[in-house]
Coordinates of all heavy atoms in Angstrom, one line a residue:
M27 N -20.6 3.2 -10.3 CA -19.8 4.3 -9.8 C -18.4 4.0 -10.3 O -17.8 3.0 -10.2 CB -19.9 4.3 -8.3 CG -18.7 5.1 -7.6 SD -19.2 6.7 -7.0 CE -17.7 7.5 -6.9
E28 N -17.8 5.1 -10.9 CA -16.4 5.0 -11.4 C -15.5 5.4 -10.2 O -15.8 6.2 -9.4 CB -16.2 6.1 -12.5 CG -16.8 5.7 -13.8 CD -15.8 4.8 -14.6 OE1 -14.7 5.3 -14.8 OE2 -16.2 3.7 -15.0
C29 N -14.3 4.7 -10.2 CA -13.3 5.1 -9.2 C -12.7 6.4 -9.6 O -12.3 6.6 -10.7 CB -12.2 4.0 -9.2 SG -10.8 4.4 -8.1
T30 N -12.7 7.3 -8.6 CA -12.2 8.7 -8.9 C -10.7 8.8 -8.4 O -10.1 9.9 -8.4 CB -13.0 9.7 -8.2 OG1 -13.0 9.5 -6.8 CG2 -14.4 9.8 -8.7
R31 N -10.2 7.7 -8.0 CA -8.8 7.6 -7.4 C -8.6 8.6 -6.3 O -7.7 9.3 -6.2 CB -7.8 7.9 -8.5 CG -7.8 6.9 -9.6 CD -6.8 7.2 -10.7 NE -6.9 6.2 -11.8 CZ -6.2 6.3 -12.9 NH1 -5.4 7.3 -13.1 NH2 -6.2 5.3 -13.7
C32 N -9.7 8.6 -5.4 CA -9.6 9.5 -4.3 C -8.7 9.1 -3.2 O -8.4 9.9 -2.3 CB -11.1 9.7 -3.8 SG -11.6 8.4 -2.7
G33 N -8.3 7.8 -3.2 CA -7.3 7.3 -2.3 C -7.9 6.8 -0.9 O -7.2 6.2 -0.2
A34 N -9.1 7.1 -0.6 CA -9.7 6.8 0.7 C -9.6 5.3 1.0 O -9.3 4.9 2.2 CB -11.1 7.3 0.8
C35 N -9.8 4.4 0.0 CA -9.8 3.0 0.4 C -8.4 2.4 0.6 O -8.3 1.3 1.0 CB -10.6 2.2 -0.7 SG -9.8 2.3 -2.3
C36 N -7.4 3.2 0.3 CA -6.0 2.8 0.6 C -5.5 3.5 1.9 O -4.4 3.3 2.3 CB -5.1 3.2 -0.5 SG -5.6 2.5 -2.1
V37 N -6.4 4.2 2.6 CA -6.0 4.8 3.9 C -7.0 4.4 5.0 O -6.5 4.0 6.1 CB -6.1 6.4 3.7 CG1 -5.7 7.0 5.0 CG2 -5.2 6.9 2.6
A38 N -8.3 4.4 4.8 CA -9.2 4.2 5.9 C -9.3 2.8 6.4 O -9.1 2.6 7.6 CB -10.6 4.7 5.4
P39 N -9.5 1.8 5.6 CA -9.6 0.4 6.2 C -8.4 -0.2 6.7 O -7.3 0.2 6.2 CB -10.2 -0.4 5.0 CG -9.8 0.3 3.8 CD -9.5 1.8 4.1
D40 N -8.5 -1.1 7.6 CA -7.3 -1.9 8.0 C -7.2 -3.0 7.0 O -8.2 -3.6 6.5 CB -7.4 -2.4 9.4 CG -8.7 -3.3 9.6 OD1 -9.7 -2.9 9.2 OD2 -8.6 -4.3 10.3
I41 N -6.0 -3.3 6.5 CA -5.7 -4.3 5.5 C -4.7 -5.3 6.1 O -3.5 -5.0 6.2 CB -5.2 -3.7 4.2 CG1 -6.2 -2.7 3.7 CG2 -5.0 -4.8 3.1 CD1 -5.8 -1.9 2.5
A42 N -5.2 -6.5 6.5 CA -4.4 -7.5 7.2 C -3.2 -7.9 6.3 O -2.1 -8.1 6.7 CB -5.2 -8.7 7.6
A43 N -3.5 -8.1 5.0 CA -2.5 -8.6 4.1 C -1.3 -7.7 4.0 O -0.2 -8.0 3.6 CB -3.1 -8.8 2.7
L44 N -1.5 -6.4 4.4 CA -0.4 -5.4 4.3 C 0.0 -5.0 5.7 O 0.8 -4.1 5.8 CB -1.0 -4.2 3.5 CG -1.2 -4.3 2.0 CD1 -2.1 -3.2 1.5 CD2 0.1 -4.4 1.3
D45 N -0.6 -5.6 6.7 CA -0.3 -5.2 8.1 C -0.6 -3.7 8.3 O 0.1 -3.0 9.0 CB 1.2 -5.4 8.4 CG 1.3 -6.3 9.6 OD1 0.3 -6.5 10.3 OD2 2.5 -6.7 9.9
K46 N -1.6 -3.2 7.6 CA -2.0 -1.8 7.6 C -3.1 -1.6 8.6 O -4.2 -2.1 8.4 CB -2.4 -1.4 6.2 CG -2.6 0.1 6.1 CD -3.3 0.6 4.8 CE -4.7 0.9 5.0 NZ -5.1 1.7 6.1
P47 N -2.8 -0.7 9.6 CA -3.8 -0.4 10.6 C -4.9 0.5 10.0 O -4.7 1.2 9.0 CB -3.1 0.2 11.7 CG -1.6 0.2 11.4 CD -1.5 0.0 9.9
L48 N -6.0 0.5 10.7 CA -7.1 1.4 10.4 C -6.7 2.8 10.4 O -5.9 3.3 11.2 CB -8.1 1.2 11.6 CG -9.6 1.3 11.4 CD1 -10.1 0.4 10.3 CD2 -10.3 1.0 12.8
G49 N -7.1 3.5 9.3 CA -6.9 5.0 9.3 C -5.5 5.4 8.9 O -5.2 6.6 8.9
M50 N -4.6 4.4 8.6 CA -3.2 4.8 8.3 C -3.0 4.6 6.8 O -3.4 3.6 6.2 CB -2.2 3.9 9.0 CG -2.4 3.9 10.5 SD -1.6 5.2 11.3 CE -1.7 4.8 13.0
R51 N -2.3 5.5 6.2 CA -2.0 5.5 4.8 C -1.2 4.3 4.4 O -0.2 4.0 5.1 CB -1.3 6.8 4.5 CG -1.1 7.1 3.0 CD -0.3 8.3 2.8 NE -0.1 8.6 1.4 CZ -0.9 9.2 0.6 NH1 -2.0 9.8 1.1 NH2 -0.7 9.3 -0.7
C52 N -1.6 3.6 3.4 CA -0.8 2.4 2.9 C 0.5 3.0 2.4 O 0.6 3.9 1.7 CB -1.5 1.7 1.8 SG -0.5 0.4 1.0
P53 N 1.6 2.3 2.8 CA 2.9 2.8 2.4 C 3.1 2.8 0.9 O 4.0 3.4 0.4 CB 3.9 1.9 3.1 CG 3.1 0.7 3.6 CD 1.7 1.2 3.7
H54 N 2.3 2.0 0.2 CA 2.4 1.9 -1.2 C 1.6 2.9 -2.0 O 1.7 3.0 -3.2 CB 2.0 0.5 -1.7 CG 2.7 -0.6 -1.0 ND1 4.1 -0.7 -1.0 CD2 2.3 -1.6 -0.2 CE1 4.5 -1.8 -0.3 NE2 3.4 -2.3 0.2
L55 N 0.9 3.7 -1.3 CA 0.1 4.8 -2.0 C 1.0 6.0 -2.3 O 1.6 6.6 -1.4 CB -1.1 5.2 -1.1 CG -2.1 6.1 -1.7 CD1 -2.9 5.4 -2.8 CD2 -3.2 6.5 -0.6
S56 N 1.1 6.3 -3.5 CA 2.0 7.4 -3.9 C 1.4 8.7 -3.6 O 0.2 8.8 -3.2 CB 2.2 7.3 -5.4 OG 1.0 7.7 -6.1
A57 N 2.1 9.8 -3.7 CA 1.7 11.1 -3.3 C 0.5 11.5 -4.1 O -0.4 12.3 -3.7 CB 2.8 12.1 -3.5
D58 N 0.4 11.0 -5.4 CA -0.8 11.4 -6.2 C -1.9 10.3 -6.1 O -2.7 10.2 -7.0 CB -0.4 11.7 -7.6 CG 0.5 10.6 -8.2 OD1 0.7 9.6 -7.5 OD2 0.9 10.7 -9.4
N59 N -1.9 9.6 -5.0 CA -2.9 8.6 -4.7 C -3.0 7.5 -5.7 O -4.1 7.0 -5.9 CB -4.3 9.3 -4.5 CG -4.4 10.1 -3.3 OD1 -3.6 10.0 -2.4 ND2 -5.4 11.0 -3.2
L60 N -1.9 7.0 -6.2 CA -1.9 5.9 -7.0 C -1.1 4.7 -6.3 O -0.3 5.0 -5.5 CB -1.3 6.2 -8.4 CG -2.0 7.2 -9.2 CD1 -1.2 7.5 -10.5 CD2 -3.4 6.7 -9.6
C61 N -1.5 3.5 -6.7 CA -0.8 2.4 -6.1 C 0.5 2.2 -6.7 O 0.6 1.9 -7.9 CB -1.7 1.1 -6.2 SG -0.9 -0.3 -5.5
S62 N 1.6 2.2 -5.9 CA 2.9 2.1 -6.5 C 3.3 0.6 -6.7 O 4.4 0.3 -7.3 CB 4.0 2.8 -5.6 OG 4.0 2.2 -4.3
V63 N 2.5 -0.3 -6.2 CA 2.8 -1.7 -6.4 C 1.6 -2.4 -7.1 O 1.3 -3.5 -6.9 CB 3.1 -2.5 -5.1 CG1 4.3 -1.9 -4.4 CG2 1.9 -2.3 -4.1
Y64 N 1.0 -1.6 -8.0 CA -0.3 -2.0 -8.6 C -0.2 -3.5 -9.2 O -1.1 -4.2 -9.0 CB -0.6 -1.0 -9.8 CG -2.0 -1.2 -10.3 CD1 -3.1 -0.7 -9.5 CD2 -2.3 -1.8 -11.5 CE1 -4.4 -0.9 -10.0 CE2 -3.6 -2.0 -12.0 CZ -4.6 -1.5 -11.2 OH -5.9 -1.7 -11.7
E65 N 0.9 -3.8 -9.9 CA 1.0 -5.1 -10.5 C 1.1 -6.2 -9.5 O 0.8 -7.4 -9.8 CB 2.2 -5.2 -11.5 CG 2.1 -4.2 -12.7 CD 0.8 -4.5 -13.5 OE1 0.4 -5.7 -13.6 OE2 0.2 -3.6 -14.1
R66 N 1.6 -5.9 -8.3 CA 1.7 -7.0 -7.3 C 1.0 -6.7 -6.0 O 1.3 -7.1 -4.9 CB 3.2 -7.3 -7.0 CG 4.0 -6.1 -6.8 CD 5.5 -6.4 -6.7 NE 6.3 -5.1 -6.5 CZ 6.6 -4.6 -5.3 NH1 6.3 -5.3 -4.3 NH2 7.3 -3.5 -5.2
R67 N -0.1 -5.9 -6.1 CA -0.9 -5.5 -5.0 C -1.6 -6.8 -4.5 O -1.9 -7.7 -5.3 CB -1.9 -4.4 -5.3 CG -3.0 -4.8 -6.3 CD -3.6 -3.5 -6.8 NE -4.9 -3.8 -7.6 CZ -4.9 -4.3 -8.8 NH1 -3.8 -4.7 -9.4 NH2 -6.0 -4.4 -9.4
P68 N -1.9 -6.9 -3.2 CA -2.6 -8.1 -2.7 C -4.0 -8.3 -3.2 O -4.6 -7.3 -3.7 CB -2.6 -7.8 -1.2 CG -2.2 -6.4 -0.9 CD -1.6 -5.9 -2.1
Q69 N -4.5 -9.5 -3.1 CA -5.8 -9.9 -3.7 C -6.9 -9.0 -3.1 O -7.8 -8.6 -3.9 CB -6.0 -11.4 -3.3 CG -7.2 -12.0 -4.1 CD -7.0 -11.9 -5.6 OE1 -5.9 -12.2 -6.1 NE2 -8.1 -11.6 -6.3
V70 N -6.8 -8.7 -1.9 CA -7.9 -7.9 -1.3 C -8.0 -6.5 -2.0 O -9.1 -6.0 -2.1 CB -7.7 -7.7 0.3 CG1 -6.4 -7.0 0.6 CG2 -8.8 -7.1 1.0
C71 N -6.9 -6.0 -2.4 CA -6.9 -4.7 -3.2 C -7.5 -5.0 -4.6 O -8.2 -4.1 -5.1 CB -5.5 -4.1 -3.3 SG -4.8 -3.8 -1.6
R72 N -7.1 -6.1 -5.2 CA -7.6 -6.4 -6.5 C -9.1 -6.6 -6.5 O -9.8 -6.2 -7.4 CB -7.0 -7.7 -7.0 CG -5.6 -7.6 -7.3 CD -4.9 -8.9 -7.6 NE -3.5 -8.7 -7.5 CZ -2.7 -8.4 -8.6 NH1 -3.3 -8.2 -9.8 NH2 -1.4 -8.2 -8.5
D73 N -9.6 -7.1 -5.4 CA -11.1 -7.4 -5.3 C -11.9 -6.2 -5.0 O -13.1 -6.2 -5.1 CB -11.3 -8.5 -4.2 CG -10.8 -9.8 -4.6 OD1 -10.5 -10.0 -5.8 OD2 -10.6 -10.7 -3.7
Y74 N -11.2 -5.1 -4.6 CA -12.0 -3.9 -4.1 C -12.4 -3.1 -5.3 O -11.5 -2.7 -6.1 CB -11.1 -3.1 -3.2 CG -11.9 -2.1 -2.4 CD1 -12.5 -2.4 -1.1 CD2 -12.2 -0.8 -2.9 CE1 -13.2 -1.5 -0.4 CE2 -12.9 0.1 -2.2 CZ -13.4 -0.3 -0.9 OH -14.2 0.6 -0.2
G75 N -13.6 -2.8 -5.5 CA -14.1 -2.0 -6.6 C -14.9 -0.8 -6.1 O -15.4 -0.8 -4.9
A76 N -15.0 0.2 -6.9 CA -15.7 1.4 -6.5 C -17.2 1.0 -6.3 O -17.8 0.2 -7.1 CB -15.6 2.5 -7.6
D77 N -17.8 1.5 -5.3 CA -19.3 1.2 -5.1 C -19.9 2.4 -4.4 O -19.4 3.5 -4.4 CB -19.5 -0.1 -4.3 CG -18.8 0.0 -2.9 OD1 -18.5 1.1 -2.5 OD2 -18.7 -1.0 -2.3
E78 N -21.1 2.2 -3.9 CA -21.9 3.3 -3.3 C -21.1 4.0 -2.2 O -21.3 5.2 -2.0 CB -23.1 2.6 -2.7 CG -24.1 3.5 -2.0 CD -24.8 4.5 -3.0 OE1 -24.6 4.4 -4.2 OE2 -25.4 5.4 -2.5
V79 N -20.3 3.2 -1.5 CA -19.5 3.8 -0.4 C -18.7 5.0 -0.9 O -18.6 6.1 -0.2 CB -18.5 2.8 0.3 CG1 -17.6 3.4 1.2 CG2 -19.4 1.7 1.0
C80 N -18.1 4.9 -2.1 CA -17.2 5.9 -2.6 C -18.0 7.2 -2.8 O -17.5 8.3 -2.5 CB -16.7 5.5 -4.0 SG -15.9 3.9 -4.0
R81 N -19.3 7.1 -3.1 CA -20.1 8.3 -3.3 C -20.4 8.9 -1.9 O -20.4 10.1 -1.7 CB -21.4 7.9 -4.1 CG -22.1 9.1 -4.7 CD -23.4 8.7 -5.3 NE -24.3 8.0 -4.4 CZ -25.0 8.6 -3.4 NH1 -24.9 9.9 -3.2 NH2 -25.8 7.9 -2.6
L82 N -20.7 8.0 -1.0 CA -21.1 8.5 0.4 C -20.0 9.2 1.1 O -20.2 10.0 2.0 CB -21.6 7.3 1.2 CG -22.9 6.6 0.8 CD1 -23.1 5.4 1.6 CD2 -24.1 7.6 1.0
I83 N -18.8 8.9 0.7 CA -17.6 9.5 1.5 C -17.0 10.6 0.7 O -15.9 11.2 1.1 CB -16.6 8.4 1.8 CG1 -15.9 7.8 0.6 CG2 -17.1 7.4 2.8 CD1 -14.7 7.0 0.9
E84 N -17.6 11.0 -0.4 CA -17.0 12.1 -1.2 C -16.8 13.4 -0.3 O -17.7 13.8 0.4 CB -17.9 12.4 -2.4 CG -17.6 11.6 -3.6 CD -18.6 11.8 -4.7 OE1 -19.6 12.5 -4.6 OE2 -18.3 11.2 -5.8
A85 N -15.7 14.0 -0.5 CA -15.3 15.2 0.2 C -14.1 15.8 -0.4 O -13.4 15.2 -1.2 CB -15.0 14.9 1.7
P86 N -13.9 17.1 -0.2 CA -12.8 17.8 -0.9 C -11.4 17.3 -0.5 O -10.5 17.4 -1.4 CB -12.9 19.3 -0.4 CG -14.3 19.4 0.2 CD -14.7 18.0 0.7
T87 N -11.2 16.8 0.7 CA -9.8 16.4 1.0 C -9.8 14.9 1.4 O -10.8 14.4 1.8 CB -9.2 17.2 2.2 OG1 -10.0 16.8 3.4 CG2 -9.3 18.7 2.0
L88 N -8.6 14.3 1.2 CA -8.5 12.9 1.6 C -8.8 12.7 3.1 O -9.4 11.7 3.5 CB -7.0 12.4 1.2 CG -6.7 11.0 1.6 CD1 -7.6 10.0 0.9 CD2 -5.3 10.7 1.2
E89 N -8.3 13.6 3.9 CA -8.5 13.5 5.3 C -10.0 13.4 5.6 O -10.5 12.6 6.4 CB -7.9 14.7 6.0 CG -7.7 14.5 7.5 CD -7.2 15.7 8.2 OE1 -6.7 16.7 7.5 OE2 -7.2 15.8 9.4
E90 N -10.8 14.3 5.0 CA -12.2 14.3 5.2 C -12.9 13.0 4.7 O -13.8 12.5 5.3 CB -12.9 15.5 4.5 CG -12.6 16.8 5.2 CD -13.1 18.0 4.3 OE1 -14.3 18.3 4.3 OE2 -12.3 18.5 3.5
R91 N -12.4 12.5 3.6 CA -13.0 11.3 3.0 C -12.7 10.1 3.9 O -13.6 9.3 4.2 CB -12.4 11.0 1.6 CG -12.8 12.0 0.6 CD -12.4 11.6 -0.8 NE -11.0 11.6 -1.1 CZ -10.4 12.7 -1.6 NH1 -11.0 13.9 -1.7 NH2 -9.1 12.7 -1.8
V92 N -11.5 10.0 4.5 CA -11.1 9.0 5.4 C -12.0 9.1 6.7 O -12.5 8.1 7.2 CB -9.6 9.0 5.8 CG1 -9.3 8.1 6.9 CG2 -8.8 8.7 4.6
H93 N -12.2 10.3 7.1 CA -13.0 10.5 8.3 C -14.4 10.0 8.1 O -15.0 9.3 8.9 CB -13.0 12.0 8.6 CG -13.7 12.4 9.9 ND1 -13.1 12.2 11.1 CD2 -14.9 12.9 10.1 CE1 -14.0 12.6 12.0 NE2 -15.1 13.0 11.5
K94 N -15.0 10.3 6.9 CA -16.3 9.9 6.6 C -16.4 8.4 6.4 O -17.4 7.8 6.8 CB -16.8 10.6 5.3 CG -17.2 12.1 5.5 CD -17.5 12.8 4.2 CE -18.9 12.7 3.8 NZ -19.3 13.5 2.6
Y95 N -15.4 7.8 5.8 CA -15.4 6.3 5.7 C -15.4 5.7 7.0 O -16.2 4.8 7.3 CB -14.1 5.9 4.9 CG -14.0 4.4 4.7 CD1 -14.2 3.9 3.4 CD2 -13.6 3.6 5.7 CE1 -14.0 2.6 3.1 CE2 -13.5 2.2 5.5 CZ -13.7 1.7 4.2 OH -13.5 0.4 3.9
L96 N -14.6 6.1 7.9 CA -14.5 5.5 9.3 C -15.8 5.7 10.0 O -16.3 4.8 10.7 CB -13.3 6.1 10.1 CG -11.9 5.8 9.5 CD1 -10.9 6.6 10.2 CD2 -11.6 4.3 9.7
A97 N -16.4 6.9 9.9 CA -17.7 7.2 10.6 C -18.8 6.3 10.0 O -19.6 5.8 10.7 CB -18.0 8.7 10.4
L98 N -18.8 6.1 8.7 CA -19.8 5.3 8.0 C -19.8 3.9 8.6 O -20.9 3.3 8.7 CB -19.5 5.3 6.5 CG -20.5 4.6 5.6 CD1 -21.8 5.5 5.6 CD2 -20.0 4.5 4.2
F99 N -18.7 3.4 8.9 CA -18.6 2.0 9.4 C -18.5 1.9 10.9 O -18.2 0.9 11.5 CB -17.4 1.2 8.7 CG -17.7 1.0 7.3 CD1 -17.0 1.7 6.3 CD2 -18.6 0.0 6.9 CE1 -17.3 1.5 4.9 CE2 -18.8 -0.2 5.5 CZ -18.2 0.5 4.6
G100 N -18.7 3.1 11.6 CA -18.6 3.1 13.0 C -17.2 2.8 13.6 O -17.1 2.2 14.7
L101 N -16.2 3.2 12.9 CA -14.8 2.8 13.2 C -14.0 4.0 13.7 O -12.8 3.9 13.9 CB -14.1 2.2 12.0 CG -14.7 0.8 11.6 CD1 -14.1 0.5 10.2 CD2 -14.4 -0.2 12.6
T102 N -14.6 5.1 13.9 CA -13.9 6.3 14.3 C -13.1 6.1 15.6 O -11.9 6.4 15.7 CB -14.8 7.5 14.4 OG1 -15.6 7.7 13.2 CG2 -14.1 8.8 14.7
A103 N -13.8 5.7 16.6 CA -13.2 5.5 17.9 C -12.0 4.5 17.9 O -10.9 4.7 18.4 CB -14.2 5.1 19.0
E104 N -12.3 3.4 17.1 CA -11.3 2.4 17.0 C -10.0 2.9 16.3 O -8.9 2.6 16.7 CB -11.9 1.2 16.2 CG -11.1 -0.1 16.5 CD -11.7 -1.3 15.6 OE1 -13.0 -1.4 15.5 OE2 -10.9 -2.0 15.1
A105 N -10.2 3.7 15.3 CA -9.1 4.3 14.5 C -8.3 5.2 15.4 O -7.1 5.2 15.4 CB -9.6 5.0 13.3
E106 N -9.0 6.0 16.2 CA -8.3 6.9 17.2 C -7.5 6.1 18.2 O -6.4 6.5 18.5 CB -9.3 7.8 17.9 CG -9.5 9.1 17.1 CD -10.8 9.8 17.5 OE1 -11.3 9.6 18.6 OE2 -11.3 10.6 16.6
A107 N -8.1 5.0 18.7 CA -7.4 4.2 19.6 C -6.1 3.6 19.0 O -5.1 3.5 19.6 CB -8.3 3.1 20.2
T108 N -6.3 3.1 17.7 CA -5.1 2.6 17.0 C -4.0 3.6 16.9 O -2.9 3.3 17.1 CB -5.6 2.1 15.6 OG1 -6.7 1.2 15.8 CG2 -4.5 1.5 14.8
R109 N -4.4 4.8 16.5 CA -3.4 5.9 16.4 C -2.7 6.2 17.7 O -1.5 6.3 17.7 CB -4.1 7.1 15.8 CG -3.5 7.7 14.6 CD -4.0 9.0 14.1 NE -5.5 9.2 14.4 CZ -6.4 9.0 13.5 NH1 -6.1 8.5 12.3 NH2 -7.6 9.3 13.7
E110 N -3.5 6.2 18.7 CA -3.0 6.5 20.1 C -2.0 5.4 20.5 O -0.9 5.7 21.0 CB -4.1 6.6 21.1 CG -3.7 7.0 22.5 CD -2.8 8.3 22.5 OE1 -3.0 9.2 21.7 OE2 -2.0 8.3 23.4
K111 N -2.4 4.2 20.2 CA -1.5 3.0 20.6 C -0.2 3.2 19.8 O 0.9 3.0 20.4 CB -2.3 1.7 20.2 CG -1.9 0.6 21.1 CD -2.9 -0.5 21.0 CE -3.0 -1.1 19.6 NZ -4.2 -2.0 19.4
G112 N -0.3 3.5 18.6 CA 0.9 3.7 17.7 C 1.8 4.7 18.3 O 3.0 4.5 18.4
C113 N 1.2 5.9 18.7 CA 2.0 7.0 19.3 C 2.6 6.5 20.6 O 3.8 6.8 20.8 CB 1.1 8.2 19.5 SG 0.5 8.9 18.0
T114 N 1.9 5.8 21.4 CA 2.4 5.4 22.7 C 3.6 4.4 22.5 O 4.6 4.6 23.1 CB 1.3 4.6 23.5 OG1 0.2 5.5 23.6 CG2 1.8 4.3 24.9
S115 N 3.4 3.5 21.6 CA 4.5 2.5 21.4 C 5.8 3.2 20.8 O 6.9 2.9 21.1 CB 4.1 1.3 20.5 OG 3.8 1.8 19.2
M116 N 5.5 4.2 20.0 CA 6.6 4.9 19.4 C 7.4 5.8 20.5 O 8.6 5.8 20.5 CB 6.1 5.9 18.3 CG 7.3 6.4 17.4 SD 6.7 7.4 16.1 CE 5.9 6.2 15.0
R117 N 6.6 6.4 21.4 CA 7.2 7.1 22.4 C 8.0 6.2 23.3 O 9.2 6.5 23.7 CB 6.1 7.8 23.3 CG 5.7 9.1 22.8 CD 4.9 9.9 23.9 NE 3.7 9.3 24.4 CZ 2.5 9.5 23.8 NH1 2.4 10.2 22.8 NH2 1.5 8.8 24.3
R118 N 7.5 5.0 23.6 CA 8.2 4.0 24.4 C 9.5 3.6 23.7 O 10.6 3.5 24.3 CB 7.4 2.8 24.7 CG 6.3 3.1 25.7 CD 5.8 1.8 26.4 NE 4.7 2.2 27.2 CZ 3.5 1.6 27.2 NH1 3.3 0.6 26.3 NH2 2.6 1.9 27.9
A119 N 9.4 3.3 22.4 CA 10.5 2.9 21.6 C 11.6 3.9 21.6 O 12.8 3.6 21.6 CB 10.1 2.5 20.2
R120 N 11.2 5.2 21.7 CA 12.2 6.2 21.7 C 12.6 6.6 23.1 O 13.3 7.6 23.3 CB 11.6 7.5 21.0 CG 11.5 7.2 19.5 CD 10.9 8.4 18.9 NE 10.8 8.2 17.4 CZ 10.2 9.0 16.6 NH1 9.6 10.0 17.0 NH2 10.2 8.7 15.3
G121 N 12.2 5.8 24.1 CA 12.6 6.0 25.5 C 11.9 7.1 26.2 O 12.3 7.6 27.2
G122 N 10.7 7.5 25.6 CA 9.9 8.6 26.3 C 9.0 8.0 27.3 O 9.2 6.8 27.7
A123 N 8.0 8.7 27.7 CA 7.1 8.3 28.8 C 6.2 7.2 28.3 O 5.8 7.2 27.1 CB 6.3 9.5 29.3
Ligands
SF4_229 S1 -12.6 5.0 -2.2 FE1 -13.7 4.4 -4.1 S2 -13.3 6.2 -5.5 FE2 -11.8 6.3 -3.8 S3 -10.0 5.3 -4.6 FE3 -11.2 3.8 -3.5 S4 -12.5 2.8 -5.0 FE4 -11.7 4.7 -5.9
SF4_230 S1 -1.3 -2.0 -2.0 FE1 -2.0 -0.4 -3.5 S2 -4.2 -0.7 -3.8 FE2 -3.6 -1.8 -1.9 S3 -4.0 -0.4 -0.2 FE3 -1.8 -0.1 -0.8 S4 -1.8 1.5 -2.4 FE4 -3.9 0.8 -2.2

């Protein structure tokens, strides 16, 4: 399977080396879904190659692909919880409820 540069693997998985939570876009992913730090990307990104998963998560939009990726690995609920936690901490940081 050829990498189609769909961007899903830079959004869906959590990447410890980048402190990137599940389901959140890597800050190094450019608007056209390319790695802006390609030459110095972490090893885990270097080791990641296109495989069967890429085909299974094919969809017209990045959002749908990420959704499918998370569902494939049973991580949908965890990703939602992560997002909710992020929102809560941000609300707190801003002095909200
Ligand atoms: S999910 Fe697969 S096809 Fe999409 S960018 Fe990553 S490796 Fe390439
Ligand atoms: S560092 Fe580059 S290859 Fe790695 S997740 Fe971020 S954008 Fe993708």
Side-chain angles (χ1 to χ4, degrees):
M27 162 101 200
E28 283 276 303
C29 173
T30 59
R31 299 180 177 174
C32 81
C35 61
C36 298
V37 180
D40 56 317
I41 304 176
L44 293 164
D45 234 353
K46 186 190 105 42
L48 210 54
M50 304 277 189
R51 189 180 179 90
C52 173
H54 304 302
L55 189 64
S56 70
D58 50 1
N59 290 343
L60 294 176
C61 179
S62 63
V63 294
Y64 193 76
E65 295 303 326
R66 49 190 178 90
R67 69 197 189 285
Q69 192 61 42
V70 64
C71 301
R72 291 170 193 273
D73 293 342
Y74 197 92
D77 60 15
E78 182 64 10
V79 171
C80 309
R81 199 185 53 76
L82 292 173
I83 63 168
E84 271 174 353
T87 68
L88 178 57
E89 197 186 345
E90 287 171 85
R91 293 191 287 276
V92 169
H93 187 78
K94 284 174 88 171
Y95 180 106
L96 294 170
L98 187 67
F99 291 104
L101 293 168
T102 306
E104 202 182 316
E106 268 161 26
T108 302
R109 234 186 327 264
E110 184 53 34
K111 209 162 62 190
C113 293
T114 304
S115 64
M116 196 179 285
R117 273 198 297 273
R118 284 202 189 125
R120 289 178 178 172

